[in-house]
Amino acid sequence: MYAAKGGRANYFKKKGVIKVAEKVRVLLTEKEVDDRIQAIGDQISRDYEGKQVHLVCVLKGGSFFMCELAKRITVPVSIDFMSVSSYGCETKSSGVVKIVKDLDEPVMGKDVIVVEDIVDSGRTLSYLLEMLKDRGPKSLRLCTLLDKPDRRVVKVNVDYTGFEIPDEFVVGYGLDYAQRYRNLPYIGVVEFE
């Protein structure tokens, strides 16, 4: 549908091609991302040795990262999914957090790691972590593939970080721009023309 590795996006319709006014520049290669996920999986395996960890994935973007992370964790893993929204089709958080899908199972008494694709302003994660803490997990930690500390407006403690990145709008590996680019195998920066 579009050229990978920084090419111009082209989307096809029945009557022709729609050209989108953005391109994607590679920020982190597929190998860099894979290597870092392995390192995080190794660290979590050491930290939770002899325990079971319960991963709570924040949909939709976090699903790509969580699947790859779970494969690299050597202790028993259970998973659940939650969907929250604060972006819509914008490139900046609206600040209004909406629970779209809640967890299927209780987290009480479990060692929980919330798995997120990116921590930006911190509003969404701050709200989500407080809500989950009230549900009585044995422990609660946060793991993110990407962290933008320069954008933080709410303090959020990130326990496991893949990469700290500059304040640029990124896509790929689950991250999207208006539901596009999630399936890129690398992290790219959207450059608008």
Side-chain angles (χ1 to χ4, degrees), residues 93-97 120-128 153-154 156:
S93 173
S94 66
V96 177
V97 179
D120 195 327
S121 70
R123 287 184 185 111
T124 302
L125 268 298
S126 175
Y127 174 85
L128 182 60
V153 296
V154 177
V156 175

Side-chain angles (χ1 to χ4, degrees), residues 60-155:
K60 297 175 184 171
S63 61
F64 288 71
F65 174 43
M66 189 196 71
C67 289
E68 293 302 316
L69 179 63
K71 290 191 294 189
R72 291 163 171 88
I73 296 173
T74 58
V75 298
V77 172
S78 58
I79 62 172
D80 204 346
F81 298 90
M82 178 171 245
S83 182
V84 297
S85 176
S86 65
Y87 280 79
C89 288
E90 302 300 318
T91 60
K92 293 184 179 176
S93 173
S94 66
V96 177
V97 179
K98 179 174 97 174
I99 303 285
V100 179
K101 180 211 174 296
D102 208 339
L103 298 173
D104 292 329
E105 300 176 17
V107 295
M108 181 165 291
K110 295 180 180 179
D111 288 307
V112 175
I113 299 176
V114 174
V115 180
E116 178 64 293
D117 53 1
I118 189 166
V119 179
D120 195 327
S121 70
R123 287 184 185 111
T124 302
L125 268 298
S126 175
Y127 174 85
L128 182 60
L129 290 170
E130 282 302 312
M131 184 184 69
L132 291 174
K133 189 190 303 181
D134 290 344
R135 296 181 183 187
K138 182 178 179 183
S139 66
L140 181 62
R141 290 185 174 175
L142 173 60
C143 178
T144 187
L145 179 58
L146 304 173
D147 190 3
K148 281 191 198 177
D150 292 343
R151 297 262 309 141
R152 201 79 84 246
V153 296
V154 177
K155 185 175 175 11

Side-chain angles (χ1 to χ4, degrees), residues 9 20-27 91 167-172 175-178 180-181 184 186-193:
V20 181
E22 73 254 6
K23 61 182 179 177
V24 177
R25 171 178 47 87
V26 177
L27 178 65
T91 60
D167 185 14
E168 297 183 284
F169 193 80
V170 291
V171 294
L175 293 121
D176 73 298
Y177 171 59
R180 297 190 307 265
Y181 307 116
L184 294 177
Y186 57 89
I187 303 297
V189 175
V190 176
E191 296 178 337
F192 298 94
E193 298 179 345

